[in-house]
Structures are given as C-alpha cells and as structure tokens.
Amino acid sequence: MGIQKIVFNKKRVAFIKANRLKMSGIEIGKKLGVSGSKIYTWLAEQRLTVPRKYSIMFRGQKIREKVSFTPAEDRIIKKSYLTVPVKRLSVILGRVGETALHRRMRQLDLVIPRKIIEQRKKDSRIKKGHVPMNKGKKMAEYCRPEVIRKIKKTQFKKGIIPKNTLYNGCIVIRKRQNRPGSKAYKWIRIRKGYWEQLHVHIWKKKHGQVPDGKIIVFLDGNTMNVTLKNLKCITRQQHCENTRNSDGWIAMSMAHEKGARGKINKGLQKRLLQNKELIELKRTQLLLQRTIKQKQNGE
C-alpha cells in the first residue's frame, strides 16, 4: 500500500494563504487534517515563507498557552507570591526550578513590587556576626556518611599536582595588564611558587647577586633580547637619567596638556617623535637646565 498523497485543492490553498500570517503551520495543519511539516513544505515550494517576526510570535503564543499548573496551584501562587520568595514557593509547589513559576506569574499578570524584591535581597544576605552552623565541627557531625563518601570522591588529595602545572625552568612572557604601554618581560620558574625575570637570572648566573640600588637593563632597549651581551648593570639614578634623555620621555613631557594633570596628547606625542631635530633641541635644553641646577646647588 503506497503513501497517500495529500492534495492541496483550491479550498485548502485559499485557507493557507489567508491564515499563514495568523496561525502557525502546525495549527493550520490541525485545521486541515494534515501534519504541520506538510504545510511548511508546501509554503516553501510556493515561496510563501513566513517572516521571522511572525514565527517568533507564534512560538511565544505556544509557550504562553502551555499551562502545566492546576487551578489549586494557581490559587496558592496568587495567595503567596507577595509573602513567599519565588524559590521557596517553587519548592512548596514541587517544581524543579523557578523558571516555570516566573512564566506562570507573568501569564496571571502577577508582578512583585520592586520594594519587596529589594527587601528579599537584603534578607538573603549574610548578616554581620552570623556564625555558620558547621563552625568548629567535623564533617561527620553535620553530614551523613553517604554524603561524606560522595564528597571525598571529588576532593583534591594531599600532594596532588594539577596537570597544567608548569615545570622548573619553564619560560613565559608576562606583561602588566593594568598598565597600558608597559613592556613585556620573560620570566623563568626557579621552583614552585618562585619566578624570576629571565634577564636578571642570566646576569646573576654570570656575576652573582645584583648589588643593592642597581638594576639590570637592556642595551638595545629590546626586552626580548636576553643575551648576556645585551645586559648591563647600572644604578637606579643612571637609569632615571637615561630614561629622561630618551626620545620617548622627551616627547611625552612635551605632549602634556596644560591644566590636565597627567593627561598626554597621544597624537602630538607621535608627531613629536618623528621630529628628531625638535627632540634634540629639547634634550639640549633639559641638559642645560640640569647643569645650571647642579651648579646652583654646589654639586
């Protein structure tokens, strides 16, 4: 026995065209005694597809019409929604979650006032001086034996090392995220919980501990070039002087906006860096000012 072919006669076609923007394909199929998929297939063949906004509307109507609450439950909801929190009310009604209860309240036009919502939030917070019920107690005093066995299966064992733990000698590149424009540096893991900048580690292997008041700098300014030839140990004072003499620092000092503390005109700074002659003149001026100041102070 072959599959019966569904005939779309003039009456059916007229009904589909008249109601395709008023009813879903499944609803039209029920009226005509055919499956909804056949209606959707016919519409696609005739290029009479339903716009997305209507399909969303039909889906929403279907959800709103779907009611799984009994009249007795509706009466409990109406009586208690202002006095009992939604989560506790869902437990009283035997519901797994409160999503269905929220939806049913919207269907019944029940709105919890904002004042009650804020008060419930305050009541749910832990109050100052609150003492947990398990404080100072062993697990066996407040948990059942089967619960303890279940917890121990997922607990970290003493001495366990996570799979993603990095090994000694591992090198990573780090940059301060909270400082825009900061430089990235290479770090090496010395031992568990102790990391050191790679350029400092390399210098220390050759020359020993870095003296107090001194730092290790890069001769070419490239923090990724950590070869021993590119490293130099200088005092912090020398480092400050080198920084103040650099093109970047001079351009930044000239790009400070008047009346705006700490604000720098980035566009002006970029243009100043391209004007090497002006940078050199400003460097000469700064050096002259420092020399005059040192002479006045008798240095």
Side-chain angles (χ1 to χ4, degrees):
M1 184 176 179
I3 298 172
Q4 186 178 3
K5 186 176 180 180
I6 298 169
V7 179
F8 287 92
N9 52 33
K10 290 184 179 180
K11 188 176 179 181
R12 283 182 168 177
V13 169
F15 183 84
I16 294 170
K17 288 182 177 180
N19 294 282
R20 69 187 186 91
L21 300 181
K22 300 177 183 178
M23 304 165 63
S24 66
I26 296 172
E27 290 174 324
I28 294 173
K30 286 180 180 178
K31 296 285 184 182
L32 299 179
V34 298
S35 66
S37 61
K38 296 294 182 182
I39 301 297
Y40 288 123
T41 303
W42 185 85
L43 286 169
E45 290 174 352
Q46 302 299 318
R47 295 185 178 179
L48 295 173
T49 52
V50 180
R52 180 172 173 78
K53 64 176 183 178
Y54 289 101
S55 62
I56 292 172
M57 182 181 69
F58 297 147
R59 197 179 303 125
Q61 288 175 350
K62 186 178 178 183
I63 292 171
R64 286 192 293 273
E65 291 169 1
K66 186 178 180 182
V67 178
S68 59
F69 288 82
T70 63
E73 288 177 327
D74 285 345
R75 286 194 294 272
I76 294 172
I77 294 169
K78 290 177 181 179
K79 184 180 177 182
S80 308
Y81 81 101
L82 291 177
T83 56
V84 182
V86 176
K87 190 171 184 178
R88 195 186 308 163
L89 187 56
S90 66
V91 175
I92 293 170
L93 296 174
R95 300 283 167 172
V96 176
E98 56 264 31
T99 305
L101 183 55
H102 277 295
R103 183 172 63 245
R104 187 55 182 157
M105 286 171 62
R106 288 195 298 271
Q107 292 169 353
L108 296 172
D109 294 325
L110 301 176
V111 180
I112 302 173
R114 190 68 191 173
K115 187 177 179 180
I116 294 177
I117 293 173
E118 293 300 326
Q119 186 59 45
R120 287 177 180 176
K121 286 181 180 179
K122 289 180 182 179
D123 294 341
S124 64
R125 292 170 186 162
I126 297 174
K127 307 296 185 297
K128 188 176 180 180
H130 170 77
V131 180
M133 53 79 63
N134 60 346
K135 183 178 180 180
K137 296 180 181 179
K138 294 183 178 180
M139 195 181 291
E141 296 180 45
Y142 60 89
C143 279
R144 298 191 304 274
E146 58 270 22
V147 176
I148 294 173
R149 287 194 294 270
K150 189 176 180 180
I151 291 171
K152 285 188 175 180
K153 287 181 181 178
T154 57
Q155 280 181 334
F156 283 109
K157 306 299 183 290
K158 189 176 180 180
I160 191 170
I161 299 175
K163 293 180 180 179
N164 60 347
T165 301
L166 298 175
Y167 52 89
N168 291 347
C170 177
I171 297 171
V172 297
I173 297 174
R174 294 177 183 171
K175 185 178 180 180
R176 291 188 178 181
Q177 299 297 330
N178 59 342
R179 288 193 181 181
S182 63
K183 293 183 178 180
Y185 291 90
K186 291 182 178 180
W187 292 74
I188 183 171
R189 173 176 158 154
I190 307 301
R191 58 181 180 275
K192 184 180 178 181
Y194 183 77
W195 290 74
E196 191 175 48
Q197 289 183 325
L198 182 58
H199 65 283
V200 176
H201 179 72
I202 291 172
W203 193 91
K204 282 167 66 175
K205 282 179 70 176
K206 177 69 175 178
H207 303 286
Q209 288 293 328
V210 180
D212 292 339
K214 292 190 176 184
I215 58 172
I216 309 302
V217 296
F218 304 87
L219 294 176
D220 63 356
N222 181 11
T223 58
M224 295 294 105
N225 183 5
V226 293
T227 56
L228 193 60
K229 292 180 180 179
N230 191 44
L231 304 178
K232 184 179 180 181
C233 182
I234 63 174
T235 63
R236 292 185 182 277
Q237 184 179 356
Q238 288 174 320
H239 179 63
C240 290
E241 291 175 0
N242 293 341
T243 303
R244 287 197 296 266
N245 290 331
S246 65
D247 292 357
W249 190 91
I250 293 171
M252 183 183 68
S253 65
M254 293 172 69
H256 270 288
E257 294 186 357
K258 292 183 179 179
R261 185 178 178 184
K263 193 173 181 181
I264 299 168
N265 188 328
K266 296 293 183 182
L268 177 59
Q269 183 183 4
K270 190 175 181 180
R271 292 193 298 272
L272 288 169
L273 281 170
Q274 295 172 353
N275 193 334
K276 298 296 182 182
E277 185 178 353
L278 183 60
I279 292 289
E280 194 59 40
L281 286 171
K282 185 65 177 178
R283 182 182 288 111
T284 305
Q285 181 192 10
L286 291 172
L287 288 172
L288 182 60
Q289 289 174 349
R290 289 173 202 157
T291 304
I292 293 170
K293 189 175 180 180
Q294 288 173 359
K295 293 290 184 180
Q296 289 175 346
N297 294 334
E299 295 179 9

